[in-house]
Amino acid sequence: MDLLLFGVYPYVCLTLFTAGLIFRYVATPGEWNARSSNLFAKKSLVAGSFLFHYAIIFTFFGHVVGLLVPVALLRMADFAGQVHFEVATMCGRILAPCVFAGAGILLLRRLCNRNVWASTVPMDIVVLVFILLQACTGGYQDFTAHEDVLPIIGAWARGIVTCQPDPALMRGVPWFMQMHVICGLAIFAMVPFSRLVHFFSLPLTWFARPFIVYRRRYDNA
Amino acid sequence: MKIKAQMAMVMNLDKCLACHTCTIPCKNAWTTPAGSEYIWFNNVETKPGIGYPKQWENQERYHGGWTVKNGKPELRAGGKMKKFLSLFAQPDLPDIKDYYEPWNYNYRYLTTAPDSKVQPAVGPRSAITGEPMKVEWGPNWEDDLAGANVTGLEDVNFRGMEAKAYLQYKSVFMFHLPRICEHCLHPACVASCPSGALYKRDEDGIVLADQSRCRSWRMCMTACPYKKVYLNWKTHRSEKCIFCYPRIEAGEPTLCAQSCPGRIRYVGVMLYDADKVREAAACADPAKVYEAQLSVFVDPNDPEMEKQALADGIPYQFVDAAKRSPIHKLVSKWRLALPLHPEFRTLPMVWYIPPLSPLVAGGVAAASDLDNMRIPLRYLANLLAAGDETPVREALHKLMAMRAFIREERFAKNAAAGQTGNEPGTQDDFAADPFVADNVGQPDAATDGLAALGLTPADARAMYRLLAIARFEDRFVVPTVRREIGGGDLQTFKGCAGFPEEIS
C-alpha cells in the first residue's frame, strides 16, 4: 500500500502533469486560459482572488524551499532543525487561513452567483474543494498537531524528485499529513485538465516587449 | 520615418438616423455563438446618454486609455508592474449589468401552448442561466432619448454645461452615434495585454485578438476607453470587432458600412508615420491631441511620401488606394471628420463628421451663427475634440458653406434655364432654408463663404459628391490583398487570425 501510494502514485501524478500539459498545449491552445468570471461578480472576486492568489503563491514557494532544498544547504544557511520547523509553522499559521478564506470566498461566489454558476465547469469546483482540503490539513498541522515530520516528508519528496523514491519513509507520518501529500499530488495531476494551466502563463514577457504589437498577416497560420 | 497603412472609417453623423441596419449583419456574422450574446461589435447609441456599457466614456470610473507621465504616454490604469501585481481581479472591469444581461424568449411556447382563454405569453429568460429575468439595460437602451432625462445627467459630454437645462423637453436635442472598434494607432488594449494576444496587423492596422494566445487576463477590456473589447463568458476569451478583415482582404467594405441605407459610412486607407505615433500620444494638452494625430498622417499625393511608402514595403495597391481615399479627404484635406474622444490618446481611426442641426432661435439667422444650433457646439466639442470648439465649428461651417454654394449654383443654373425657384419640379426646394436665404440673389456670396474657409468651388463640388451623392465606389476604396503575400487562397486562411477553429 505504501509502495502504491508513496512510490507509484507520485509518478503517475507527475506524468499526468507533464504529459497532460504538453498534450493540452498542442491540442487545444485556444482553451489555455484563466477562465475569468470577473465579468459576472466583481466585488467577491476582488475580495477572494487577491487574498487567495497571494497566499497560495507564498505557500507554494514555502513548500518548495521547505521540502526540496537539501538539508545540507539549509544547514549552511543556519536554517535547519528547530528553526526551520518554527518558521514553517509560523508561515503556515498566517497563510493557511488566508488560503482557506480566499478559496472559500471563491467557492461561495461560484455556488451562489447564478451567472458564475452557469459558466462553471465541474473541474472548477473540484479544484477549489481540493485546495480547501489542503488548507484544512495543512492548517491542522500548523495549529494543532505540531508533528515534527518536516525532515521525513522533505527527505521523501527529495527522493521522489531525484528518482530515488523511498516509500517506507512515509509510514510513520500521521494520516492528515499523508492526506495532505496525496491531495497535493492530485492537484498536480489536475493541472492540465483544469483552469490551473493559467499559472504557466505568467506574463513575464510583457515587461520585455514594447507596448504596441504589430504582427504580419499570416505569421500565426 | 516609417510609413504604415491603416484601414480607417468615417461616419457622417449628419445622416445617421439610428435604424440599426449596420448592427444586424454584424451581429449575425460575428457574435451569435453562446457566450457572445451580449457582445455587439457594432452598436448605435443615442446622444445624450450613457450608452453601452453604461458610462463607457467616463474614465474617472473605468480608467481606460492613456495619460501622460514625464512626457511619455502611460496607461491610465497604471504601469506594467502595478497591473502585473493585480492580475488576479480587476476592480475597474465593467460588470455584465453595465453591458446588459442577454436574454431570449421561448418562442416555441407561443405555438405549443395548450388551449386557454387567454393568449399565451412568453417572458424574457437569461441567455446565461436560462432563468426568468428582468430586462434592465441593453445595447441601445436609450434609443431616441428613452430615459435620457435620467441617464443623461451622467453623460460626461455635458462637461462644463448645465446638463439639466438641455434635458428639459423644450430644449432637448439628440443625435445618433454608431460605434465600432476604433482600430487605434496607439491602442491601449494591445498595450495592456499581458500575453501579447492583441495585435495590430502590420499590413492594414486592423486590431485583432488572437484567440489561441488569450489567457483571460481581461486587461484589454478595462484598458479600452471605448469599451469595444469583450470577454466571451463561455470561452473566457477576448473578442472584438475585426473590421470584417476577410471582406477587407477581398476588397469589400465592412458589413456595417456596406449595409448602411443612409450611406453614412466611408472606408479607406490612411498612410501614417509609425515613428510619430508615440510622440502624438504623449501630447500633454488634451485639446491638442487632435492636431497631433493629424500630424501623424502623411499625404499620399505628395510624390516624396509615395516614394517613401513604397520603399517602406507598402504594396502599390495600398498607396494607390490611399491617394483616392475618402478618409484622407474627410480627415486631412477638408477636416470635416473628427476623432471620437481624442483625449483618450489612443489615436482612434474611426472618425465622425459632426451633425448639423436646426437653429433654435428661429427666423433667419446668419449662416455662420453656429451657436444657435439645436445641438450645442460645446457638447459636440466634448465628444469629438476634447472640449475645443474650434475644429467642430470649422467642420460645421464648411458643411454649411458647401450647402450654400451648391444651392446657389443650382439656383443660378435654374435661373439660366428660365425657371424660377418656385416652379414645381425644380431642384431648389430649399430656397426658403435660413442657411441659404442669406445668399440668394448674391451670386458670389457663396463662393466667398467657401474661400473664407480655404475651400474652392471644386472642393465644394467634390464634398457634395462624396457626402450627399455618396456613391458606393466613392465611399469605399478598399485595396485587395496581393495573393503572393497571403500565400494562398483566402478561404483557407479565413478565421485563423481572429477566431478559434471550433467556431469558424
Side-chain angles (χ1 to χ4, degrees):
Chain A
M1 192 64 191
D2 284 337
L3 177 70
L4 209 61
L5 274 180
F6 301 107
V8 179
Y9 171 75
Y11 288 107
V12 172
C13 288
L14 293 177
T15 309
L16 272 173
F17 175 73
T18 16
L21 278 176
I22 295 167
F23 174 76
R24 171 132 177 216
Y25 191 79
V26 173
T28 54
E31 281 157 31
W32 187 293
N33 64 52
R35 298 183 52 80
S36 168
S37 57
N38 205 159
L39 182 68
F40 287 157
K42 196 162 59 182
K43 275 185 190 148
S44 54
L45 186 75
V46 171
S49 189
F50 276 111
L51 186 61
F52 169 73
H53 277 99
Y54 276 109
I56 202 80
I57 288 166
F58 281 111
T59 307
F60 177 78
F61 286 109
H63 279 73
V64 170
V65 173
L67 296 177
L68 298 185
V69 176
V71 183
L73 254 174
L74 290 179
R75 280 224 178 83
M76 269 162 64
D78 227 1
F79 189 73
Q82 197 56 24
V83 188
H84 186 183
F85 181 69
E86 290 298 331
V87 171
T89 306
M90 211 166 61
C91 290
R93 282 182 174 187
I94 300 166
L95 294 172
C98 291
V99 170
F100 187 81
I105 294 171
L106 294 181
L107 183 63
L108 271 181
R109 72 188 274 284
R110 211 152 263 289
L111 299 175
C112 297
N113 183 301
R114 55 192 189 89
N115 284 344
V116 179
W117 176 247
S119 64
T120 296
V121 292
M123 210 54 188
D124 296 342
I125 304 285
V126 174
V127 164
L128 278 172
V129 168
F130 265 81
I131 288 169
L132 281 171
L133 218 66
Q134 287 297 76
C136 290
T137 46
Y140 182 70
Q141 151 75 1
D142 292 326
F143 282 101
T144 322
H146 296 297
E147 298 278 354
D148 191 7
V149 287
L150 196 62
I152 306 171
I153 301 181
W156 171 80
R158 285 190 293 278
I160 293 292
V161 294
T162 52
C163 293
Q164 293 158 325
D166 186 2
L169 277 173
M170 290 298 284
R171 197 166 293 152
V173 172
W175 66 272
F176 55 88
M177 286 319 280
Q178 287 189 345
M179 201 168 128
H180 193 79
V181 168
I182 291 167
C183 290
L185 286 165
I187 292 177
F188 270 96
M190 273 177 226
V191 168
F193 311 100
S194 70
R195 59 187 354 204
L196 293 181
V197 289
H198 75 269
F199 58 64
F200 286 94
S201 299
L202 197 66
L204 294 170
T205 48
W206 194 24
F207 293 99
R209 70 149 224 251
F211 267 140
I212 311 299
V213 182
Y214 286 97
R215 264 163 71 180
R216 294 199 70 81
R217 191 175 279 123
Y218 297 118
D219 273 1
N220 56 339
Chain B
M1 179 168 227
K2 167 82 180 145
I3 296 184
K4 281 187 188 289
Q6 168 81 36
M7 291 307 304
M9 189 182 283
V10 165
M11 300 192 209
N12 186 357
L13 297 186
D14 209 19
K15 298 202 287 183
C16 181
L17 42 80
C19 63
H20 301 276
T21 310
C22 44
T23 305
I24 302 305
C26 171
K27 181 72 182 164
N28 285 341
W30 305 124
T31 56
T32 46
S36 61
E37 305 94 340
Y38 85 101
I39 302 173
W40 299 77
F41 291 166
N42 183 102
N43 74 307
V44 187
E45 290 170 14
T46 300
K47 290 278 159 196
I50 55 174
Y52 153 86
K54 287 176 191 164
Q55 294 191 322
W56 59 269
E57 293 157 289
N58 185 357
Q59 303 315 333
E60 303 288 312
R61 174 176 171 185
Y62 290 121
H63 303 106
W66 302 82
T67 52
V68 179
K69 210 171 164 185
N70 306 328
K72 282 182 196 157
E74 168 98 40
L75 288 167
R76 185 185 276 269
K80 282 179 180 173
M81 203 46 173
K82 186 187 163 196
K83 296 294 275 178
F84 182 79
L85 292 174
S86 54
L87 268 180
F88 313 120
Q90 290 196 50
D92 292 337
L93 196 82
D95 192 83
I96 188 74
K97 297 270 182 228
D98 292 319
Y99 295 93
Y100 76 104
E101 186 165 347
W103 71 89
N104 279 320
Y105 297 97
N106 181 9
Y107 293 107
R108 179 170 295 173
Y109 180 73
L110 295 176
T111 52
T112 57
D115 280 346
S116 74
K117 283 183 182 161
V118 289
Q119 288 278 350
V122 288
R125 280 174 177 275
S126 166
I128 300 171
T129 62
E131 291 163 31
M133 61 168 276
K134 205 173 161 218
V135 176
E136 285 167 324
W137 198 255
N140 61 337
W141 192 257
E142 299 158 308
D143 216 22
D144 288 353
L145 290 183
N149 57 329
V150 180
T151 56
L153 294 168
E154 290 169 8
D155 184 342
V156 293
N157 296 307
F158 278 122
R159 203 180 297 118
M161 302 167 73
E162 193 55 61
K164 232 176 185 149
Y166 286 104
L167 294 168
Q168 300 290 318
Y169 186 66
K170 220 177 90 180
S171 52
V172 79
F173 65 92
M174 73 168 194
F175 61 95
H176 304 293
L177 185 72
R179 304 206 297 122
I180 63 167
C181 164
E182 296 280 344
H183 296 278
C184 308
L185 295 183
H186 192 242
C189 59
V190 171
S192 69
C193 177
S195 30
L198 282 122
Y199 62 100
K200 250 182 119 50
R201 292 217 300 188
D202 203 48
E203 296 85 351
D204 50 21
I206 293 175
V207 176
L208 293 176
D210 183 339
Q211 299 280 299
S212 64
R213 286 199 198 183
C214 177
R215 300 287 177 257
S216 197
W217 301 127
R218 69 235 169 257
M219 297 282 185
C220 47
M221 294 176 75
T222 39
C224 172
Y226 302 95
K227 290 290 166 281
K228 277 291 173 191
V229 191
Y230 305 87
L231 189 82
N232 180 316
W233 63 264
K234 203 143 205 172
T235 64
H236 302 271
R237 288 175 293 209
S238 278
E239 288 183 21
K240 64 176 292 303
C241 162
I242 58 172
F243 211 77
C244 292
Y245 74 84
R247 290 175 58 86
I248 292 288
E249 287 173 5
E252 300 281 344
T254 62
L255 285 168
C256 54
Q258 171 139 14
S259 62
C260 180
R263 293 180 282 170
I264 76 155
R265 300 204 188 205
Y266 300 82
V267 177
V269 178
M270 287 293 271
L271 297 183
Y272 70 100
D273 181 358
D275 290 341
K276 280 161 92 175
V277 166
R278 222 170 117 80
E279 189 189 320
C283 179
D285 182 358
K288 299 247 164 65
V289 180
Y290 163 61
E291 284 291 340
Q293 185 171 1
L294 279 180
S295 75
V296 170
F297 301 134
V298 300
D299 181 1
N301 294 307
D302 177 346
E304 277 299 307
M305 290 299 131
E306 183 182 347
K307 229 163 88 189
Q308 179 70 37
L310 291 169
D312 283 337
I314 307 222
Y316 175 74
Q317 290 95 321
F318 272 75
V319 177
D320 178 56
K323 284 169 146 179
R324 297 180 289 122
S325 169
I327 313 298
H328 173 69
K329 288 179 193 133
L330 296 169
V331 165
S332 296
K333 192 176 172 198
W334 299 323
R335 299 199 178 191
L336 292 175
L338 299 165
L340 181 62
H341 289 298
E343 73 273 21
F344 296 162
R345 293 193 181 79
T346 60
L347 311 187
M349 287 309 289
V350 174
W351 288 36
Y352 295 88
I353 300 174
L356 284 165
S357 54
L359 303 175
V360 286
V364 177
S368 58
D369 196 0
L370 290 162
D371 293 306
N372 284 333
M373 273 195 347
R374 182 95 193 177
I375 302 171
L377 211 62
R378 178 90 201 146
Y379 186 93
L380 291 175
N382 282 337
L383 185 75
L384 299 172
D388 182 9
E389 289 181 17
T390 326
V392 184
R393 194 180 288 274
E394 212 167 283
L396 291 174
H397 206 159
K398 282 177 182 165
L399 289 176
M400 283 182 164
M402 178 266 284
R403 287 184 179 196
F405 173 79
I406 297 295
R407 281 166 199 155
E408 181 66 17
E409 198 171 52
R410 283 238 172 116
F411 202 80
K413 208 187 272 172
N414 290 342
Q419 295 167 326
T420 73
N422 295 327
E423 279 168 0
T426 58
Q427 288 184 345
D428 40 3
D429 309 334
F430 302 106
D433 189 300
F435 294 157
V436 83
D438 281 356
N439 299 325
V440 173
Q442 301 168 36
D444 296 326
T447 316
D448 288 349
L450 284 179
L453 292 162
L455 297 171
T456 63
D459 280 327
R461 286 186 204 107
M463 274 164 62
Y464 169 74
R465 189 184 149 86
L466 192 57
L467 295 173
I469 309 297
R471 293 184 341 141
F472 190 97
E473 49 274 43
D474 292 336
R475 272 181 291 143
F476 307 127
V477 181
V478 183
T480 48
V481 170
R482 278 159 59 190
R483 282 296 166 87
E484 60 269 36
I485 293 177
D489 176 21
L490 279 178
Q491 286 297 333
T492 357
F493 290 104
K494 188 171 158 185
C496 64
F499 277 82
E501 269 158 37
E502 65 266 34
I503 287 175
S504 59

